[in-house]
Amino acid sequence: MRHRKKTVKLGRECGPRKALLRGLATNFVLKGKMKTTLPKAKAIKPIVEKYITVSKNNTLASRRRLIKYFYDEKAINKLLAELGPKYKERPGGYTRIIKLENRKGDNAPMAIIELV
């Protein structure tokens, strides 16, 4: 039975899915805004929000947690130097998903995910 299992599969096995989400989250942190499919945007939203919350405290422990997940050192530095202090007083909800028209080739639902 599938009760209370909320992992979005995205048509991939476990390893490639984790790599995809890590790459999307790293690029999103570096750019602050990206256009992707709606399921991918919904999948990276809780991940990015969790790590922005971690980056609010600029400690060695939080830096090590970020190093475990993100691919690029620039993304970690941006989280700790810019995004963490920017959202220090905000209790959550750091990202926004805006739905767009479906993609022309395969009719996939598209969305823009951006920082608030």
Side-chain angles (χ1 to χ4, degrees), residues 45-54 56 83-84 86-96 114-116:
K45 183 176 180 172
I47 296 168
V48 170
E49 292 196 358
K50 178 176 93 172
Y51 285 112
I52 290 175
T53 303
V54 167
K56 285 183 180 182
L83 298 180
K86 179 180 175 183
Y87 296 115
K88 191 78 167 174
E89 300 300 320
R90 193 177 178 101
Y94 315 113
T95 59
R96 169 188 307 139
E114 62 186 7
L115 292 170
V116 174

PDB file of all heavy atoms in Angstrom, residues 45-54 56 83-84 86-96 114-116:
ATOM      1  N   LYS A  45      10.590  22.777  -4.356  1.00  0.00           N
ATOM      2  CA  LYS A  45      10.174  23.834  -3.432  1.00  0.00           C
ATOM      3  C   LYS A  45      10.433  23.477  -1.966  1.00  0.00           C
ATOM      4  O   LYS A  45      11.068  24.248  -1.247  1.00  0.00           O
ATOM      5  CB  LYS A  45       8.709  24.171  -3.649  1.00  0.00           C
ATOM      6  CG  LYS A  45       8.217  25.299  -2.781  1.00  0.00           C
ATOM      7  CD  LYS A  45       6.796  25.679  -3.093  1.00  0.00           C
ATOM      8  CE  LYS A  45       6.380  26.807  -2.187  1.00  0.00           C
ATOM      9  NZ  LYS A  45       5.087  27.356  -2.532  1.00  0.00           N
ATOM     10  N   PRO A  46       9.997  22.316  -1.450  1.00  0.00           N
ATOM     11  CA  PRO A  46      10.281  22.019  -0.038  1.00  0.00           C
ATOM     12  C   PRO A  46      11.757  21.822   0.254  1.00  0.00           C
ATOM     13  O   PRO A  46      12.227  22.146   1.356  1.00  0.00           O
ATOM     14  CB  PRO A  46       9.483  20.741   0.235  1.00  0.00           C
ATOM     15  CG  PRO A  46       9.150  20.173  -1.073  1.00  0.00           C
ATOM     16  CD  PRO A  46       9.145  21.293  -2.056  1.00  0.00           C
ATOM     17  N   ILE A  47      12.512  21.348  -0.722  1.00  0.00           N
ATOM     18  CA  ILE A  47      13.952  21.149  -0.521  1.00  0.00           C
ATOM     19  C   ILE A  47      14.648  22.485  -0.343  1.00  0.00           C
ATOM     20  O   ILE A  47      15.405  22.696   0.606  1.00  0.00           O
ATOM     21  CB  ILE A  47      14.548  20.367  -1.714  1.00  0.00           C
ATOM     22  CG1 ILE A  47      13.960  18.971  -1.779  1.00  0.00           C
ATOM     23  CG2 ILE A  47      16.057  20.320  -1.630  1.00  0.00           C
ATOM     24  CD1 ILE A  47      14.253  18.238  -3.064  1.00  0.00           C
ATOM     25  N   VAL A  48      14.363  23.420  -1.249  1.00  0.00           N
ATOM     26  CA  VAL A  48      15.012  24.728  -1.193  1.00  0.00           C
ATOM     27  C   VAL A  48      14.592  25.479   0.070  1.00  0.00           C
ATOM     28  O   VAL A  48      15.428  26.099   0.739  1.00  0.00           O
ATOM     29  CB  VAL A  48      14.673  25.537  -2.462  1.00  0.00           C
ATOM     30  CG1 VAL A  48      15.122  26.973  -2.322  1.00  0.00           C
ATOM     31  CG2 VAL A  48      15.318  24.907  -3.674  1.00  0.00           C
ATOM     32  N   GLU A  49      13.330  25.386   0.429  1.00  0.00           N
ATOM     33  CA  GLU A  49      12.871  26.095   1.626  1.00  0.00           C
ATOM     34  C   GLU A  49      13.510  25.521   2.883  1.00  0.00           C
ATOM     35  O   GLU A  49      13.858  26.257   3.807  1.00  0.00           O
ATOM     36  CB  GLU A  49      11.353  26.064   1.700  1.00  0.00           C
ATOM     37  CG  GLU A  49      10.734  26.902   0.600  1.00  0.00           C
ATOM     38  CD  GLU A  49       9.280  27.233   0.821  1.00  0.00           C
ATOM     39  OE1 GLU A  49       8.703  26.780   1.819  1.00  0.00           O
ATOM     40  OE2 GLU A  49       8.728  27.955  -0.017  1.00  0.00           O
ATOM     41  N   LYS A  50      13.714  24.214   2.921  1.00  0.00           N
ATOM     42  CA  LYS A  50      14.368  23.607   4.073  1.00  0.00           C
ATOM     43  C   LYS A  50      15.796  24.117   4.213  1.00  0.00           C
ATOM     44  O   LYS A  50      16.232  24.474   5.313  1.00  0.00           O
ATOM     45  CB  LYS A  50      14.367  22.081   3.924  1.00  0.00           C
ATOM     46  CG  LYS A  50      15.065  21.363   5.057  1.00  0.00           C
ATOM     47  CD  LYS A  50      14.944  19.860   4.913  1.00  0.00           C
ATOM     48  CE  LYS A  50      16.118  19.319   4.176  1.00  0.00           C
ATOM     49  NZ  LYS A  50      16.170  17.847   4.169  1.00  0.00           N
ATOM     50  N   TYR A  51      16.515  24.193   3.109  1.00  0.00           N
ATOM     51  CA  TYR A  51      17.908  24.615   3.196  1.00  0.00           C
ATOM     52  C   TYR A  51      18.060  26.126   3.380  1.00  0.00           C
ATOM     53  O   TYR A  51      19.065  26.573   3.918  1.00  0.00           O
ATOM     54  CB  TYR A  51      18.698  24.101   1.998  1.00  0.00           C
ATOM     55  CG  TYR A  51      18.974  22.623   2.134  1.00  0.00           C
ATOM     56  CD1 TYR A  51      18.388  21.691   1.297  1.00  0.00           C
ATOM     57  CD2 TYR A  51      19.792  22.147   3.146  1.00  0.00           C
ATOM     58  CE1 TYR A  51      18.625  20.344   1.445  1.00  0.00           C
ATOM     59  CE2 TYR A  51      20.029  20.798   3.312  1.00  0.00           C
ATOM     60  CZ  TYR A  51      19.445  19.907   2.455  1.00  0.00           C
ATOM     61  OH  TYR A  51      19.672  18.561   2.635  1.00  0.00           O
ATOM     62  N   ILE A  52      17.086  26.919   2.979  1.00  0.00           N
ATOM     63  CA  ILE A  52      17.118  28.344   3.322  1.00  0.00           C
ATOM     64  C   ILE A  52      16.930  28.510   4.818  1.00  0.00           C
ATOM     65  O   ILE A  52      17.591  29.330   5.465  1.00  0.00           O
ATOM     66  CB  ILE A  52      16.064  29.130   2.523  1.00  0.00           C
ATOM     67  CG1 ILE A  52      16.470  29.203   1.053  1.00  0.00           C
ATOM     68  CG2 ILE A  52      15.903  30.541   3.082  1.00  0.00           C
ATOM     69  CD1 ILE A  52      15.448  29.858   0.155  1.00  0.00           C
ATOM     70  N   THR A  53      16.055  27.706   5.411  1.00  0.00           N
ATOM     71  CA  THR A  53      15.870  27.741   6.862  1.00  0.00           C
ATOM     72  C   THR A  53      17.147  27.327   7.580  1.00  0.00           C
ATOM     73  O   THR A  53      17.525  27.924   8.585  1.00  0.00           O
ATOM     74  CB  THR A  53      14.706  26.820   7.269  1.00  0.00           C
ATOM     75  OG1 THR A  53      13.527  27.220   6.569  1.00  0.00           O
ATOM     76  CG2 THR A  53      14.454  26.896   8.758  1.00  0.00           C
ATOM     77  N   VAL A  54      17.847  26.320   7.066  1.00  0.00           N
ATOM     78  CA  VAL A  54      19.117  25.906   7.659  1.00  0.00           C
ATOM     79  C   VAL A  54      20.138  27.028   7.578  1.00  0.00           C
ATOM     80  O   VAL A  54      20.916  27.261   8.508  1.00  0.00           O
ATOM     81  CB  VAL A  54      19.640  24.625   6.957  1.00  0.00           C
ATOM     82  CG1 VAL A  54      21.086  24.349   7.328  1.00  0.00           C
ATOM     83  CG2 VAL A  54      18.776  23.440   7.298  1.00  0.00           C
ATOM     84  N   LYS A  56      19.777  30.155   7.775  1.00  0.00           N
ATOM     85  CA  LYS A  56      19.534  31.328   8.621  1.00  0.00           C
ATOM     86  C   LYS A  56      20.579  31.442   9.722  1.00  0.00           C
ATOM     87  O   LYS A  56      20.951  32.536  10.119  1.00  0.00           O
ATOM     88  CB  LYS A  56      18.140  31.257   9.246  1.00  0.00           C
ATOM     89  CG  LYS A  56      17.022  31.571   8.291  1.00  0.00           C
ATOM     90  CD  LYS A  56      15.712  31.531   9.040  1.00  0.00           C
ATOM     91  CE  LYS A  56      14.549  31.835   8.154  1.00  0.00           C
ATOM     92  NZ  LYS A  56      13.293  31.830   8.902  1.00  0.00           N
ATOM     93  N   LEU A  83      20.962  34.814   1.263  1.00  0.00           N
ATOM     94  CA  LEU A  83      19.579  34.366   1.442  1.00  0.00           C
ATOM     95  C   LEU A  83      19.216  34.137   2.907  1.00  0.00           C
ATOM     96  O   LEU A  83      18.109  34.470   3.331  1.00  0.00           O
ATOM     97  CB  LEU A  83      19.327  33.105   0.622  1.00  0.00           C
ATOM     98  CG  LEU A  83      19.498  33.267  -0.890  1.00  0.00           C
ATOM     99  CD1 LEU A  83      19.220  31.962  -1.597  1.00  0.00           C
ATOM    100  CD2 LEU A  83      18.603  34.353  -1.418  1.00  0.00           C
ATOM    101  N   GLY A  84      20.123  33.563   3.686  1.00  0.00           N
ATOM    102  CA  GLY A  84      19.846  33.340   5.102  1.00  0.00           C
ATOM    103  C   GLY A  84      19.550  34.631   5.847  1.00  0.00           C
ATOM    104  O   GLY A  84      18.501  34.756   6.494  1.00  0.00           O
ATOM    105  N   LYS A  86      18.682  37.491   4.550  1.00  0.00           N
ATOM    106  CA  LYS A  86      17.539  38.172   3.925  1.00  0.00           C
ATOM    107  C   LYS A  86      16.211  37.675   4.494  1.00  0.00           C
ATOM    108  O   LYS A  86      15.284  38.452   4.713  1.00  0.00           O
ATOM    109  CB  LYS A  86      17.581  37.931   2.414  1.00  0.00           C
ATOM    110  CG  LYS A  86      16.448  38.561   1.644  1.00  0.00           C
ATOM    111  CD  LYS A  86      16.580  38.257   0.172  1.00  0.00           C
ATOM    112  CE  LYS A  86      15.385  38.775  -0.611  1.00  0.00           C
ATOM    113  NZ  LYS A  86      15.456  38.432  -2.036  1.00  0.00           N
ATOM    114  N   TYR A  87      16.111  36.369   4.735  1.00  0.00           N
ATOM    115  CA  TYR A  87      14.874  35.770   5.225  1.00  0.00           C
ATOM    116  C   TYR A  87      14.929  35.454   6.721  1.00  0.00           C
ATOM    117  O   TYR A  87      14.185  34.599   7.200  1.00  0.00           O
ATOM    118  CB  TYR A  87      14.566  34.496   4.434  1.00  0.00           C
ATOM    119  CG  TYR A  87      14.307  34.751   2.976  1.00  0.00           C
ATOM    120  CD1 TYR A  87      15.159  34.259   1.995  1.00  0.00           C
ATOM    121  CD2 TYR A  87      13.216  35.499   2.566  1.00  0.00           C
ATOM    122  CE1 TYR A  87      14.928  34.491   0.659  1.00  0.00           C
ATOM    123  CE2 TYR A  87      12.970  35.738   1.231  1.00  0.00           C
ATOM    124  CZ  TYR A  87      13.830  35.231   0.283  1.00  0.00           C
ATOM    125  OH  TYR A  87      13.593  35.479  -1.043  1.00  0.00           O
ATOM    126  N   LYS A  88      15.776  36.137   7.465  1.00  0.00           N
ATOM    127  CA  LYS A  88      15.964  35.867   8.898  1.00  0.00           C
ATOM    128  C   LYS A  88      14.651  36.008   9.678  1.00  0.00           C
ATOM    129  O   LYS A  88      14.333  35.196  10.539  1.00  0.00           O
ATOM    130  CB  LYS A  88      17.018  36.826   9.452  1.00  0.00           C
ATOM    131  CG  LYS A  88      17.498  36.499  10.826  1.00  0.00           C
ATOM    132  CD  LYS A  88      18.484  35.364  10.777  1.00  0.00           C
ATOM    133  CE  LYS A  88      19.195  35.231  12.096  1.00  0.00           C
ATOM    134  NZ  LYS A  88      20.037  34.058  12.117  1.00  0.00           N
ATOM    135  N   GLU A  89      13.875  37.034   9.381  1.00  0.00           N
ATOM    136  CA  GLU A  89      12.643  37.307  10.119  1.00  0.00           C
ATOM    137  C   GLU A  89      11.429  36.580   9.533  1.00  0.00           C
ATOM    138  O   GLU A  89      10.385  36.537  10.176  1.00  0.00           O
ATOM    139  CB  GLU A  89      12.369  38.814  10.134  1.00  0.00           C
ATOM    140  CG  GLU A  89      13.477  39.621  10.801  1.00  0.00           C
ATOM    141  CD  GLU A  89      13.700  39.221  12.254  1.00  0.00           C
ATOM    142  OE1 GLU A  89      12.708  38.980  12.965  1.00  0.00           O
ATOM    143  OE2 GLU A  89      14.876  39.131  12.653  1.00  0.00           O
ATOM    144  N   ARG A  90      11.559  36.044   8.354  1.00  0.00           N
ATOM    145  CA  ARG A  90      10.419  35.388   7.705  1.00  0.00           C
ATOM    146  C   ARG A  90      10.295  33.952   8.206  1.00  0.00           C
ATOM    147  O   ARG A  90      11.260  33.191   8.161  1.00  0.00           O
ATOM    148  CB  ARG A  90      10.622  35.423   6.191  1.00  0.00           C
ATOM    149  CG  ARG A  90       9.397  35.057   5.408  1.00  0.00           C
ATOM    150  CD  ARG A  90       9.684  35.206   3.916  1.00  0.00           C
ATOM    151  NE  ARG A  90       8.538  34.812   3.140  1.00  0.00           N
ATOM    152  CZ  ARG A  90       7.677  35.645   2.597  1.00  0.00           C
ATOM    153  NH1 ARG A  90       7.842  36.934   2.730  1.00  0.00           N
ATOM    154  NH2 ARG A  90       6.661  35.195   1.900  1.00  0.00           N
ATOM    155  N   PRO A  91       9.107  33.511   8.645  1.00  0.00           N
ATOM    156  CA  PRO A  91       8.969  32.168   9.222  1.00  0.00           C
ATOM    157  C   PRO A  91       8.878  31.039   8.192  1.00  0.00           C
ATOM    158  O   PRO A  91       8.866  29.877   8.552  1.00  0.00           O
ATOM    159  CB  PRO A  91       7.674  32.265  10.029  1.00  0.00           C
ATOM    160  CG  PRO A  91       6.892  33.324   9.347  1.00  0.00           C
ATOM    161  CD  PRO A  91       7.888  34.307   8.809  1.00  0.00           C
ATOM    162  N   GLY A  92       8.814  31.335   6.926  1.00  0.00           N
ATOM    163  CA  GLY A  92       8.735  30.299   5.893  1.00  0.00           C
ATOM    164  C   GLY A  92       8.149  30.878   4.632  1.00  0.00           C
ATOM    165  O   GLY A  92       7.868  32.075   4.553  1.00  0.00           O
ATOM    166  N   GLY A  93       7.945  30.058   3.626  1.00  0.00           N
ATOM    167  CA  GLY A  93       7.357  30.524   2.376  1.00  0.00           C
ATOM    168  C   GLY A  93       8.296  31.426   1.604  1.00  0.00           C
ATOM    169  O   GLY A  93       7.964  32.563   1.291  1.00  0.00           O
ATOM    170  N   TYR A  94       9.479  30.923   1.286  1.00  0.00           N
ATOM    171  CA  TYR A  94      10.489  31.738   0.624  1.00  0.00           C
ATOM    172  C   TYR A  94      10.374  31.694  -0.889  1.00  0.00           C
ATOM    173  O   TYR A  94      11.012  32.482  -1.572  1.00  0.00           O
ATOM    174  CB  TYR A  94      11.895  31.254   1.009  1.00  0.00           C
ATOM    175  CG  TYR A  94      12.067  30.991   2.480  1.00  0.00           C
ATOM    176  CD1 TYR A  94      12.279  29.705   2.949  1.00  0.00           C
ATOM    177  CD2 TYR A  94      12.010  32.022   3.405  1.00  0.00           C
ATOM    178  CE1 TYR A  94      12.445  29.453   4.291  1.00  0.00           C
ATOM    179  CE2 TYR A  94      12.163  31.770   4.753  1.00  0.00           C
ATOM    180  CZ  TYR A  94      12.377  30.492   5.188  1.00  0.00           C
ATOM    181  OH  TYR A  94      12.525  30.235   6.522  1.00  0.00           O
ATOM    182  N   THR A  95       9.604  30.748  -1.426  1.00  0.00           N
ATOM    183  CA  THR A  95       9.508  30.590  -2.872  1.00  0.00           C
ATOM    184  C   THR A  95       8.072  30.753  -3.337  1.00  0.00           C
ATOM    185  O   THR A  95       7.122  30.608  -2.563  1.00  0.00           O
ATOM    186  CB  THR A  95      10.031  29.213  -3.320  1.00  0.00           C
ATOM    187  OG1 THR A  95       9.266  28.202  -2.678  1.00  0.00           O
ATOM    188  CG2 THR A  95      11.494  29.041  -2.984  1.00  0.00           C
ATOM    189  N   ARG A  96       7.948  31.039  -4.631  1.00  0.00           N
ATOM    190  CA  ARG A  96       6.640  31.216  -5.257  1.00  0.00           C
ATOM    191  C   ARG A  96       6.659  30.457  -6.574  1.00  0.00           C
ATOM    192  O   ARG A  96       7.638  30.511  -7.312  1.00  0.00           O
ATOM    193  CB  ARG A  96       6.430  32.706  -5.501  1.00  0.00           C
ATOM    194  CG  ARG A  96       5.267  33.067  -6.351  1.00  0.00           C
ATOM    195  CD  ARG A  96       5.239  34.555  -6.701  1.00  0.00           C
ATOM    196  NE  ARG A  96       5.320  35.377  -5.509  1.00  0.00           N
ATOM    197  CZ  ARG A  96       6.055  36.483  -5.419  1.00  0.00           C
ATOM    198  NH1 ARG A  96       6.775  36.886  -6.441  1.00  0.00           N
ATOM    199  NH2 ARG A  96       6.080  37.191  -4.318  1.00  0.00           N
ATOM    200  N   GLU A 114      10.375  31.073  -8.204  1.00  0.00           N
ATOM    201  CA  GLU A 114      11.222  32.213  -7.876  1.00  0.00           C
ATOM    202  C   GLU A 114      11.217  32.465  -6.381  1.00  0.00           C
ATOM    203  O   GLU A 114      10.334  32.007  -5.659  1.00  0.00           O
ATOM    204  CB  GLU A 114      10.758  33.453  -8.631  1.00  0.00           C
ATOM    205  CG  GLU A 114       9.360  33.898  -8.280  1.00  0.00           C
ATOM    206  CD  GLU A 114       8.857  35.039  -9.140  1.00  0.00           C
ATOM    207  OE1 GLU A 114       9.549  35.405 -10.103  1.00  0.00           O
ATOM    208  OE2 GLU A 114       7.781  35.561  -8.835  1.00  0.00           O
ATOM    209  N   LEU A 115      12.227  33.193  -5.933  1.00  0.00           N
ATOM    210  CA  LEU A 115      12.299  33.595  -4.533  1.00  0.00           C
ATOM    211  C   LEU A 115      11.379  34.765  -4.313  1.00  0.00           C
ATOM    212  O   LEU A 115      11.240  35.648  -5.171  1.00  0.00           O
ATOM    213  CB  LEU A 115      13.734  33.972  -4.166  1.00  0.00           C
ATOM    214  CG  LEU A 115      14.729  32.821  -4.161  1.00  0.00           C
ATOM    215  CD1 LEU A 115      16.134  33.352  -4.041  1.00  0.00           C
ATOM    216  CD2 LEU A 115      14.421  31.867  -3.035  1.00  0.00           C
ATOM    217  N   VAL A 116      10.739  34.808  -3.159  1.00  0.00           N
ATOM    218  CA  VAL A 116       9.811  35.892  -2.833  1.00  0.00           C
ATOM    219  C   VAL A 116      10.600  37.121  -2.433  1.00  0.00           C
ATOM    220  O   VAL A 116      11.591  37.047  -1.756  1.00  0.00           O
ATOM    221  CB  VAL A 116       8.866  35.473  -1.700  1.00  0.00           C
ATOM    222  CG1 VAL A 116       7.997  36.624  -1.254  1.00  0.00           C
ATOM    223  CG2 VAL A 116       8.027  34.308  -2.141  1.00  0.00           C
TER     224      VAL A 116
END
